[in-house]
Amino acid sequence: MKNFTIYLVILVFLFVSKVLGQETFESRAKQIANKIEKITKEEKETLKQEIEAVNVQLSEGKITQEQADKRKKELAEARAVIIEEKVTLAQNELNDLVQQKVDGKIKEDSSKVYMIRWKSNRHDKDSIHGEKRTTSQFVFAMGLNNTMVDGKLQDSNYRFMGSHFYEWGFTYNSRLMKNDNLLHAKYGLSLMYNNIRPTDNRSFVVDGNQTNLVENPVHLTESRFRNVYLVAPVHLEFDFTKAGESNGKKYFKTHKNFRFGVGGYAGINVKSKQILKFEEDDLKYKTTIKGDYNVNNFIYGLSSYIGYRELSLYFKYDLNPIFQDNLTKENNVSLGLRLDLN
């Protein structure tokens, strides 16, 4: 719950600063956002080169198709871990910046108020007054997380408020029609963290191809199960921002009015781990157990969001179950807030 609170504070302050940020806070926050964007782009480009090298080996007959597919999956997983580690360091900088804002250590100039405009990649320029046809956004989302079985929420198995998800990544937003702003294709790459906290002092235990919730013999102060995924989300976005007009010519902007998106995501599991905390003889212990836990290697699902300007209500649902062969099929479901920063 502590990490959830930290990220909630970050989310709130990012949103407030987007609207009424001071220049000092703006410039430092933009630097961190640009750093995260640079990390993701560089690692994606490196992965692309590594994949191309594997394809060359395949075309030359040095490896089989099965070996090539296995190698590509290993490369993608390795790059995802590197991205996670580097982005976490940048997030720590963001945490410190927000804390300084809370503590009043960042000087404010009461005589000036600035609107933060996050730098984005722009292409196919339509007008000097409007945005280009394709823009990019930094995406951050977080909220409640749980599972469903046969359409029923498993809030008795997992703590309702204690289980949560968070996600960050980058998307491109392309206007589909030249002279109309309604329809957009939104696509990108994200790291998705799904956490569930079992109830009744239970934790997960692997028994062959089954992963079961079992009561722990030690009294646990915390039991948390986390899956990390590298996913490619794709949405059709409806943006109701009206077109402007200057000198008889239309120009377009995005994220200035109500909008909603429908679509889905697909990706791979890059990490699964269980975190257990307990006390014994006045000593506190924390155990982190990494493994595959019979978790599905791939993930795919449906997602949707509806909101105003940058902030949206966000829903996502995995179409495949968390565990590969469990007799009870549990599908992850999430509901929270999503922030798309141009």
Side-chain angles (χ1 to χ4, degrees):
M1 194 65 184
K2 180 180 179 182
N3 289 337
F4 180 81
T5 304
I6 291 173
Y7 285 114
L8 183 59
V9 170
I10 294 172
L11 178 63
V12 171
F13 271 95
L14 276 175
F15 179 65
V16 172
S17 298
K18 174 71 177 178
V19 179
L20 294 173
Q22 273 68 40
E23 185 176 26
T24 301
F25 184 78
E26 170 193 353
S27 60
R28 294 174 64 183
K30 285 172 66 176
Q31 289 174 3
I32 297 173
N34 290 338
K35 180 186 294 186
I36 295 175
E37 183 176 12
K38 182 181 179 182
I39 289 169
T40 305
K41 286 184 176 180
E42 288 178 347
E43 294 301 328
K44 284 171 62 178
E45 182 59 32
T46 302
L47 176 60
K48 181 180 177 181
Q49 294 174 3
E50 292 173 336
I51 295 297
E52 288 176 353
V54 174
N55 288 333
V56 170
Q57 290 181 314
L58 178 63
S59 64
E60 294 176 349
K62 295 180 178 179
I63 58 176
T64 65
Q65 183 66 55
E66 183 180 356
Q67 290 173 324
D69 292 341
K70 181 180 179 181
R71 181 57 180 157
K72 289 177 183 179
K73 182 176 182 295
E74 291 173 347
L75 290 170
E77 291 175 348
R79 285 295 152 195
V81 172
I82 292 172
I83 291 174
E84 179 190 359
E85 292 174 348
K86 290 184 176 181
V87 170
T88 297
L89 294 176
Q91 274 197 311
N92 291 337
E93 292 183 43
L94 186 59
N95 291 354
D96 293 338
L97 179 62
V98 172
Q99 189 60 52
Q100 290 179 47
K101 181 77 171 178
V102 174
D103 296 339
K105 295 180 180 179
I106 298 178
K107 299 296 183 181
E108 298 183 0
D109 184 353
S110 59
S111 64
K112 296 181 180 180
V113 177
Y114 299 85
M115 294 295 291
I116 293 181
R117 297 189 182 275
W118 295 82
K119 182 179 180 182
S120 61
N121 295 326
R122 314 261 181 166
H123 310 278
D124 304 332
K125 186 176 181 181
D126 292 325
S127 166
I128 59 172
H129 299 283
E131 296 175 350
K132 297 174 184 179
R133 193 160 177 176
T134 295
T135 60
S136 64
Q137 293 82 41
F138 171 68
V139 176
F140 181 74
M142 64 181 302
L144 301 177
N145 195 69
N146 218 291
T147 70
M148 297 189 74
V149 176
D150 296 329
K152 295 181 180 179
L153 190 67
Q154 301 299 293
D155 54 342
S156 60
N157 283 332
Y158 309 108
R159 290 168 52 192
F160 183 74
M161 294 302 295
S163 301
H164 59 271
F165 82 97
Y166 51 98
E167 173 185 343
W168 67 77
F170 291 90
T171 64
Y172 289 99
N173 188 355
S174 297
R175 179 160 43 86
L176 295 179
M177 292 178 284
K178 184 176 181 181
N179 295 310
D180 191 279
N181 201 40
L182 180 63
L183 296 179
H184 295 253
K186 201 172 179 76
Y187 48 94
L189 191 69
S190 290
L191 274 173
M192 185 183 295
Y193 293 71
N194 293 336
N195 295 274
I196 48 178
R197 282 183 163 89
T199 58
D200 300 328
N201 202 56
R202 291 177 295 173
S203 57
F204 284 103
V205 174
V206 176
D207 182 11
N209 66 351
Q210 299 294 299
T211 304
N212 304 314
L213 268 180
V214 176
E215 185 174 357
N216 203 289
V218 177
H219 177 69
L220 300 173
T221 56
E222 180 176 353
S223 174
R224 175 162 39 114
F225 185 63
R226 170 184 290 176
N227 286 305
V228 183
Y229 301 95
L230 179 65
V231 299
V234 178
H235 293 92
L236 177 64
E237 182 174 283
F238 298 80
D239 192 324
F240 294 93
T241 303
K242 293 182 179 180
E245 189 170 329
S246 177
N247 298 324
K249 294 184 178 181
K250 283 185 177 182
Y251 63 89
F252 302 96
K253 293 187 177 181
T254 59
H255 299 79
K256 302 298 181 184
N257 207 317
F258 287 100
R259 53 190 186 89
F260 71 91
V262 290
Y265 50 90
I268 59 173
N269 174 274
V270 296
K271 184 190 298 183
S272 295
K273 67 179 180 180
Q274 186 165 211
I275 301 167
L276 305 176
K277 294 182 181 180
F278 59 95
E279 296 181 8
E280 191 174 273
D281 297 329
D282 296 327
L283 297 176
K284 295 183 179 180
Y285 297 89
K286 178 181 178 180
T287 303
T288 300
I289 309 168
K290 297 180 181 179
D292 62 19
Y293 286 93
N294 296 317
V295 170
N296 265 312
N297 292 323
F298 300 95
I299 183 177
Y300 57 93
L302 301 175
S303 55
S304 182
Y305 54 88
I306 181 170
Y308 180 71
R309 297 176 71 95
E310 295 90 350
L311 190 63
S312 302
L313 184 66
Y314 183 39
F315 171 82
K316 60 187 183 73
Y317 176 74
D318 293 356
L319 291 176
N320 62 327
I322 298 174
F323 303 105
Q324 296 181 40
D325 301 309
N326 268 18
L327 297 177
T328 302
K329 304 299 182 183
E330 294 184 83
N331 297 62
N332 198 88
V333 60
S334 308
L335 179 66
L337 295 177
R338 173 186 172 117
L339 198 60
D340 294 68
L341 297 173
N342 268 319

